[in-house]
Amino acid sequence: MKTLYILSFFALVGTCATPKYTTKIQNIKDRIEISDTALIKKYCSSITKDELKTHLYAFSSDKFEGRKTGEKGQKMSAEFLKAYYQDLQIASPFGGNNYFQMIPASFFPKNIKASENVLAYIEGDENPNEVVIISAHLDHLGINKDGKINNGADDDGSGTVAIMEMAEAFKLAKKDGYGPKRSILFLHLTAEEIGQKGAEFYIKHPVFPLENTIVDLNIDMIGRVDDLHQNDENYIYLIGADRLSKELHYVSEKINNTFFDINIDYRYNAENDSNHYYERSDHYKFANQGIPVIFYFNGVHDDYHKASDTPDKINYPLLEKRTKLIFATAWQIANQEHKLVTDENNELLN
């Protein structure tokens, strides 16, 4: 009886000595310090609705014939992105003039031709082996049987041009002597529309070791407003941020609360979400490898996967604000003192 009492006493002491879960979460929040507010504001200002509009009208034009994987228009869009990065003097991780990760036709379903992911890269100044990925898919649905072109302005032209503007902002910062501490990979993925095959290929053939990839911020449709938010356009859906890293979730929250005050809608982040959006874009391939992700999404609309998804219907001021949110989040992760970690590796939780 005495032995049982002693064991019970020590168990109680051990329980009391363990911080409550709410305390652990607060410790995570308290450790997040914004990496230079003034610099984030300065380089956010280089991201403009006018430049986003110019890029998107070009990228979602009829010239690219709906960007169907492996077809002429998709390859032209890849060349368009390559030329953009070359013009900004943003390097390829492969070196030289090769910005393409080639994917053979054998990797795709039958009748799909060879294609390519497009990659550009800014090397980190202090921890270059730690990599932040910002991704979006460059492909779309091509031309309908009736000859109508699926321009895919929102899906995912909006994500593509958001990355273009963010890359320019990071490049401007580096030119001014404020390069990121960690490396940033701007990853334009092909073949999302046929099962995230470009992302799957990257995971199987990573340019940087997956264990060194600390996050994937994936953008798929951020230029429109869905039916649920017709009376409140100042929103964005975030999916996945807390699935693998609560720190990522609270970094995202703090960036938004500090700079933007966008209404973040988490309804599609629910694990029982009947739409299964968490599994439906390229970030999911990274999450399956234990890499924390955020999926940025405006929800579907009447023009989703239709030829009517055109650049004149994009809300450019809103696209600008959402792009700035993602840029500031990427800046924080790339520049904060400690590396973003998963819950499994977070000493504040374990």
Side-chain angles (χ1 to χ4, degrees):
M1 187 73 174
K2 183 178 181 181
T3 302
L4 179 60
Y5 172 81
I6 293 171
L7 291 174
S8 299
F9 172 77
F10 281 111
L12 179 61
V13 170
T15 300
C16 292
T18 302
K20 291 181 179 180
Y21 184 74
T22 53
T23 302
K24 293 180 179 181
I25 293 298
Q26 190 59 50
N27 289 339
I28 291 175
K29 293 180 180 179
D30 291 344
R31 189 167 71 162
I32 301 168
E33 297 182 1
I34 301 298
S35 299
D36 204 320
T37 300
L39 289 178
I40 291 176
K41 288 181 177 179
K42 177 179 179 179
Y43 294 105
C44 266
S45 68
S46 73
I47 297 169
T48 70
K49 62 182 184 297
D50 291 336
E51 289 187 0
L52 287 162
K53 185 175 184 178
T54 297
H55 296 326
L56 189 52
Y57 265 86
F59 189 75
S60 61
S61 69
D62 288 352
K63 174 182 177 181
F64 295 144
E65 299 178 351
R67 308 188 303 276
K68 183 177 180 180
T69 300
E71 298 299 326
K72 174 186 173 184
Q74 180 265 299
K75 293 184 174 297
M76 290 174 65
S77 71
E79 291 287 350
F80 172 86
L81 293 170
K82 174 183 175 179
Y84 176 80
Y85 289 115
Q86 287 180 314
D87 185 59
L88 289 179
Q89 297 183 328
I90 298 176
S92 159
F94 303 115
N97 293 322
N98 178 24
Y99 286 75
F100 298 158
Q101 182 183 41
M102 301 305 302
I103 307 176
S106 60
F107 190 78
F108 296 123
K110 187 177 180 181
N111 298 326
I112 300 295
K113 300 172 184 176
S115 188
E116 54 280 305
N117 294 326
V118 182
L119 292 74
Y121 171 69
I122 293 178
E123 185 175 45
D125 291 339
E126 295 182 16
N127 305 104
N129 291 331
E130 297 173 3
V131 181
V132 173
I133 293 180
I134 308 176
S135 64
H137 70 90
L138 61 87
D139 66 303
H140 197 49
L141 302 176
I143 303 173
N144 293 338
K145 292 180 180 179
D146 59 5
K148 292 183 179 179
I149 297 174
N150 293 284
N151 297 113
D154 194 26
D155 186 12
D156 187 24
S158 60
T160 300
V161 300
I163 292 182
M164 292 167 66
E165 278 289 278
M166 285 187 275
E168 181 182 33
F170 276 113
K171 179 65 176 181
L172 288 170
K174 189 171 181 70
K175 184 178 179 181
D176 291 343
Y178 302 109
K181 292 179 179 178
R182 299 175 179 87
S183 298
I184 302 176
L185 178 64
F186 307 102
L187 180 57
H188 299 272
L189 293 158
T190 190
E192 190 272 349
E193 299 287 7
I194 57 171
Q196 306 159 20
K197 299 297 286 184
E200 180 183 338
F201 188 86
Y202 182 89
I203 291 297
K204 291 184 176 180
H205 306 278
V207 176
F208 300 101
L210 295 179
E211 58 267 26
N212 293 350
T213 300
I214 59 177
V215 72
D216 173 43
L217 304 179
N218 184 55
I219 315 163
D220 196 348
M221 299 172 58
I222 60 165
R224 296 280 296 269
V225 175
D226 69 0
D227 289 341
L228 295 174
H229 295 86
Q230 291 299 316
N231 297 320
D232 176 22
E233 296 184 348
N234 183 43
Y235 81 99
I236 186 73
Y237 294 112
L238 262 63
I239 303 170
D242 64 347
R243 299 288 184 101
L244 295 170
S245 173
K246 290 179 179 61
E247 181 185 1
L248 175 59
H249 170 75
Y250 290 114
V251 164
S252 170
E253 286 269 303
K254 189 161 188 175
I255 288 294
N256 182 52
N257 292 337
T258 301
F259 297 103
F260 304 106
D261 198 29
I262 295 173
N263 297 321
I264 297 180
D265 193 328
Y266 292 108
R267 76 184 67 199
Y268 295 135
N269 189 48
E271 294 197 17
N272 62 352
D273 169 40
S274 61
N275 299 283
H276 301 287
Y277 287 128
Y278 181 60
E279 295 91 3
R280 285 173 57 180
S281 192
D282 291 311
H283 61 276
Y284 188 58
K285 300 298 184 185
F286 292 89
N288 277 342
Q289 300 299 313
I291 297 168
V293 303
I294 300 179
F295 173 25
Y296 298 90
F297 179 50
N298 56 216
V300 297
H301 42 72
D302 289 343
D303 300 310
Y304 174 67
H305 278 193
K306 294 180 181 177
S308 51
D309 180 9
T310 50
D312 56 298
K313 297 178 180 177
I314 297 295
N315 184 326
Y316 289 97
L318 187 57
L319 176 57
E320 176 189 308
K321 189 172 186 180
R322 290 166 172 171
T323 302
K324 288 178 175 179
L325 168 67
I326 302 164
F327 169 79
T329 304
W331 179 289
Q332 173 66 24
I333 297 168
N335 287 291
Q336 65 183 15
E337 287 300 318
H338 66 279
K339 182 178 77 170
L340 181 81
V341 293
T342 61
D343 290 347
E344 182 180 5
N345 296 314
N346 194 331
E347 75 277 5
L348 297 179
L349 283 176
N350 300 309

